[in-house]
């Protein structure tokens, strides 16, 4: 009888803890959602990539799901949201907000699984207020969705590696595929998982080679099964096997290209990059990887936040000092993704703050663990009678508020508002269906008019091309001289008629009507 009562007591405690976990998780998700509501009420000016994603979403609704240059995952989600909202821009923002809130879940469980529940709670709270994660939650961009899929696939990848359960392997493959269908570079998730399963044992013991090979085979076959409709369609459209129209990477031949291009010369979304060509000059490749890695690391700490980077270093000191085989392997498993993306992918293809930010979500538990260690250090040395918990909570609130305010001050896109203002004016004052030519697509997007980019040509050539394409209006901004030096000095009254102009700080937009002879 005592044993039965004890069993029910333990079961009750377990259920109570589960309820506590979910209550904490729901509270953090509610906070994340509340902080993101005003991103819908006051949407930012759409990004250039956002215009392309919406164009792709329109094609998805017409059945042409591989019509765009980007991968179809995010445009498909925007297309689905549009059927409910009936506004493409708001649909894209809502997709980003939903996944920005859902990101709390995998990051919370990563912190809880690798460290403890308090670290998981701090990790989730940081997700709710992190400057870049918050900003991307209001953008018509893939980032918010991609963060969720990456964090979830890495979490299930660790579960699968540690426990060897095939349901975890399948879940890893599902989310890795969803990440791949959102951004093609996510194929690296499969590479990292395969390397770990093949070369390393789980923390608790040894794994037979037969089990390793079956796990790898299941992960690869599941990934191919889930992604094959897209890959086969790409093959039918392009005539070759590739992972994306935007990022065309093939095996290639060493003799196909000459010297390695410079960082700024590589345009993977415009031309293919044969992989074997990278090994033609090993020394140049090593220099590229080394400099690219440190460049990526420097830009990453900027977007991750210098304070969080400091706490992440403290966290790693604690990880190494703990000497726990589970903690060490779990964190090195996560670290391998950083080494792959920073040391190989980004260093070879492209390095920017936006792309390095893709590692933020899986890095947050390190900073949360470092902050938790910092709180413990403070508690040991400053013993406040009856006020320790309140003081610890105050420090956490200061960190969270500081992160959120820093994001609102440093990362706004108010300087783009002039483009939206001009576009909405054109929507109200210009005839429907006329074509406009401008440097950027945002004005045409808000005007809901067909858009053609201004070519990098002389004044006379731009006018000739515009007239040959039936362009009715020419939209110029402050950067027109960079594309066509001397352009403004050659404006003639008989060629263009001024309609409207805007001046805001260092920005300027002028709308001309093209005169046809």
């Amino acid at each position: 009888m005592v044993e039965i009562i004890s069993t029910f007591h333990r079961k009750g405690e377990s259920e109570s803890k589960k309820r506590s976990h979910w209550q904490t998780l729901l509270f953090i998700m509610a906070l994340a959602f509340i902080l993101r509501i005003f991103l819908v009420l006051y949407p930012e000016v759409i990004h250039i990539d956002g215009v392309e994603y919406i164009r792709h979403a329109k094609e998805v609704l017409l059945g042409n799901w591989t019509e765009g240059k980007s991968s179809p995952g995010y445009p498909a989600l925007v297309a689905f949201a549009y059927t409910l909202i009936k506004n493409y821009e708001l649909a894209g923002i809502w997709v980003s907000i939903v996944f920005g809130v859902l990101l709390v879940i995998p990051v919370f469980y990563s912190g809880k699984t690798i460290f403890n529940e308090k670290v998981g709670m701090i990790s989730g709270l940081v997700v709710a207020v992190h400057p870049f994660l918050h900003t991307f939650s209001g953008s018509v961009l893939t980032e918010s969705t991609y963060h969720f899929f990456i964090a979830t696939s890495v979490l299930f990848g660790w579960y699968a590696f540690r426990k060897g359960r095939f349901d975890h392997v399948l879940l890893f493959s599902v989310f890795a595929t969803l990440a791949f269908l959102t951004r093609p570079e996510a194929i690296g998730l499969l590479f990292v998982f395969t390397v770990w399963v093949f070369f390393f044992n789980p923390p608790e013991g040894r794994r037979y080679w037969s089990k390793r090979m079956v796990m790898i085979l299941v992960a690869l076959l599941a990934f191919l099964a889930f992604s094959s409709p897209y890959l086969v369609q790409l093959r039918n459209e392009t005539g070759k096997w590739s992972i994306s129209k935007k990022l065309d990477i093939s095996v290639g031949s060493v003799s196909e290209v000459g010297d390695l291009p410079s960082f700024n010369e590589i345009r993977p979304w415009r031309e293919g990059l044969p992989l074997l060509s990278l090994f033609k000059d090993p020394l140049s490749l090593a220099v590229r990887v080394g400099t690219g890695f440190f460049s990526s690391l420097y830009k990453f700490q900027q977007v991750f936040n210098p304070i969080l980077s400091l706490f992440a270093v403290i966290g790693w000191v604690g990880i190494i000092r703990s000497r726990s085989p589970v903690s060490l392997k779990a964190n090195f498993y996560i670290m391998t993704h950083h080494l792959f993306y920073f040391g190989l992918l980004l260093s070879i293809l492209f390095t920017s703050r936006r792309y390095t930010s893709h590692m933020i979500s899986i890095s947050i538990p390190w900073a949360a663990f470092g902050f938790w260690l910092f709180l413990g250090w403070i508690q040991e040395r400053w013993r406040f009678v009856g006020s320790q918990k309140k003081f610890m909570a105050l420090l956490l609130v200061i960190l969270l508020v500081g992160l959120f305010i820093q994001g609102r001050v440093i990362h706004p896109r108010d300087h783009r508002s002039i483009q939206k203002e001009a576009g909405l004016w054109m929507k109200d004052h210009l005839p429907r269906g006329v074509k406009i030519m401008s440097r950027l697509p945002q004005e045409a997007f808000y005007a809901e008019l067909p858009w053609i980019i201004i070519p990098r040509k002389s004044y006379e050539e731009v006018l000739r091309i515009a007239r040959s394409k039936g362009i009715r209006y020419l939209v110029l901004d402050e950067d027109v001289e960079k594309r066509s030096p001397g352009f403004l000095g050659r404006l003639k009254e008989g060629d263009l008629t001024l309609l409207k102009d805007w001046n805001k700080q260092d920005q300027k937009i002028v709308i001309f009507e093209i005169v046809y002879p």
Side-chain angles (χ1 to χ4, degrees):
M1 177 65 74
V2 174
E3 291 180 358
I4 294 174
I5 294 174
S6 177
T7 300
F8 276 105
H9 180 67
R10 288 195 299 269
K11 184 177 179 181
E13 283 185 346
S14 177
E15 292 177 352
S16 177
K17 286 183 178 180
K18 287 183 179 179
R19 286 196 298 269
S20 175
H21 294 163
W22 276 104
Q23 287 172 356
T24 301
L25 197 55
L26 290 174
F27 169 78
I28 298 173
M29 292 173 67
L31 173 65
F33 181 76
I34 291 170
L35 292 177
R36 285 157 174 75
I37 279 294
F38 76 93
L39 299 176
V40 178
L41 301 176
Y42 304 98
E44 67 177 14
V45 177
I46 194 168
H47 293 252
I48 297 174
D49 288 0
V51 176
E52 169 59 21
Y53 292 137
I54 287 179
R55 188 195 70 80
H56 193 172
K58 294 177 180 179
E59 293 293 337
V60 170
L61 289 175
L62 296 175
N64 304 321
W65 57 284
T66 59
E67 184 65 23
K69 288 290 184 183
S70 60
S71 298
Y74 179 71
L77 291 170
V78 175
F80 172 76
Y82 174 78
T83 61
L84 305 174
I85 300 174
K86 302 304 180 183
N87 181 298
Y88 281 105
E89 185 179 13
L90 286 180
I93 292 174
W94 271 112
V95 168
S96 294
I97 285 179
V98 168
F99 281 96
V101 173
L102 291 177
L103 178 62
V104 170
I105 299 175
V107 176
F108 172 87
Y109 278 104
S110 292
K112 178 178 176 295
T113 301
I114 299 172
F115 300 108
N116 56 57
E117 184 177 351
K118 290 184 178 179
V119 172
M121 181 193 71
I122 296 171
S123 299
L125 288 170
V126 171
V127 169
V129 303
H130 191 280
F132 265 76
L133 298 181
H134 179 268
T135 300
F136 285 141
S137 293
S139 301
V140 186
L141 293 173
T142 60
E143 267 63 28
S144 189
T145 307
Y146 189 55
H147 278 295
F148 173 78
F149 289 142
I150 280 185
T152 309
S153 61
V154 170
L155 178 62
F156 279 115
W158 169 247
Y159 286 162
F161 170 77
R162 180 181 178 181
K163 300 178 182 179
R165 289 173 48 176
F166 290 108
D167 56 340
H168 288 156
V169 176
L170 286 173
L171 286 169
F172 161 75
S173 295
V174 167
F175 285 102
T177 304
L178 292 172
F180 167 71
L181 293 176
T182 305
R183 297 193 66 90
E185 57 265 33
I187 199 170
L189 295 167
L190 196 65
F191 174 78
V192 172
F193 178 78
T194 301
V195 168
W196 268 81
V197 173
F198 188 82
F199 288 103
F200 300 100
N201 281 305
E204 285 83 1
R206 298 182 62 83
R207 177 170 289 148
Y208 292 113
W209 279 103
S210 57
K211 180 68 174 292
R212 298 186 191 203
M213 299 309 296
V214 172
M215 287 176 63
I216 293 173
L217 187 62
V218 169
L220 291 174
L221 290 178
F223 179 85
L224 290 175
F226 297 136
S227 62
S228 59
Y230 174 61
L231 296 176
V232 170
Q233 183 64 21
L234 279 182
R235 167 72 176 178
N236 294 335
E237 292 184 9
T238 64
K240 58 182 178 181
W241 291 108
S242 59
I243 61 174
S244 171
K245 290 182 180 179
K246 186 176 182 180
L247 185 63
D248 182 12
I249 302 178
S250 58
V251 175
S253 169
V254 175
S255 61
E256 288 179 359
V257 296
D259 296 332
L260 282 170
S262 67
F263 283 101
N264 294 327
E265 290 173 340
I266 291 181
R267 296 293 183 267
W269 55 90
R270 295 182 183 177
E271 57 188 1
L273 180 65
L275 290 180
L276 290 182
S277 67
L278 298 174
F279 299 95
K280 185 178 180 181
D281 186 352
L283 179 60
S284 180
L285 176 62
V287 171
R288 176 184 298 279
V289 170
T291 56
F293 175 78
F294 286 106
S295 175
S296 297
L297 196 61
Y298 173 71
K299 292 177 180 177
F300 172 73
Q301 66 86 25
Q302 290 179 314
V303 296
F304 187 53
N305 187 275
I307 296 177
L308 292 182
S309 298
L310 176 61
F311 283 125
V313 172
I314 296 173
W316 263 101
V317 172
I319 291 166
I320 295 172
R321 290 179 64 181
S322 72
R323 298 182 181 179
S324 166
V326 176
S327 178
L328 282 172
K329 283 203 171 181
N331 286 290
F332 276 112
Y333 177 78
I334 296 173
M335 175 63 76
T336 308
H337 294 81
H338 294 71
L339 296 176
F340 176 81
Y341 279 92
F342 293 167
L344 293 178
L345 186 67
L346 297 186
S347 63
I348 292 173
L349 296 177
F350 38 71
T351 303
S352 72
R353 295 172 64 194
R354 176 181 165 190
Y355 295 130
T356 59
S357 73
H358 295 160
M359 293 291 103
I360 288 177
S361 58
I362 62 175
S363 306
I364 285 177
W366 296 337
F369 181 56
F371 185 74
W372 183 72
L373 292 176
F374 170 73
L375 291 181
W377 180 82
I378 292 291
Q379 194 170 11
E380 287 180 2
R381 285 156 179 79
W382 297 357
R383 297 187 178 278
F384 297 93
V385 179
S387 62
Q388 288 178 335
K389 290 185 178 180
K390 292 182 179 179
F391 185 68
M392 300 299 106
L394 177 62
L395 290 179
L396 178 59
V397 169
I398 290 173
L399 173 67
L400 298 175
V401 172
L403 286 174
F404 186 74
I405 292 177
Q406 181 254 352
R408 299 313 304 163
V409 172
I410 296 179
H411 305 295
R413 282 174 52 82
D414 297 339
H415 64 289
R416 292 291 185 184
S417 61
I418 189 174
Q419 293 177 292
K420 186 173 184 178
E421 186 179 341
L424 293 177
W425 184 89
M426 288 190 284
K427 180 181 178 180
D428 293 335
H429 295 84
L430 300 187
R432 296 292 82 199
V434 297
K435 298 178 183 178
I436 69 172
M437 177 179 279
S438 61
R439 184 178 66 91
L440 298 173
Q442 283 94 329
E443 295 90 350
F445 172 80
Y446 288 109
E448 298 180 4
L449 295 173
W451 171 73
I452 295 177
I453 189 172
I454 294 179
R456 295 180 179 273
K457 303 287 185 180
S458 64
Y459 171 80
E460 290 78 9
E461 277 293 297
V462 170
L463 275 183
R464 185 189 65 78
I465 294 172
R467 285 168 174 160
S468 68
K469 294 181 178 293
I471 305 297
R472 180 81 175 271
Y473 298 97
L474 187 64
V475 181
L476 305 178
D477 59 25
E478 70 281 356
D479 287 336
V480 66
E481 285 291 310
K482 294 180 181 179
R483 297 182 65 88
S484 303
F487 189 97
L488 296 178
R490 298 190 179 187
L491 293 178
K492 300 177 183 177
E493 187 175 347
D495 295 328
L496 302 170
T497 301
L498 177 64
L499 287 186
K500 181 75 173 177
D501 66 326
W502 290 264
N503 286 280
K504 188 175 293 186
Q505 296 179 350
D506 296 330
Q507 290 187 297
K508 183 175 183 179
I509 289 182
V510 185
I511 301 177
F512 291 99
E513 182 175 4
I514 298 176
V515 178
Y516 282 77

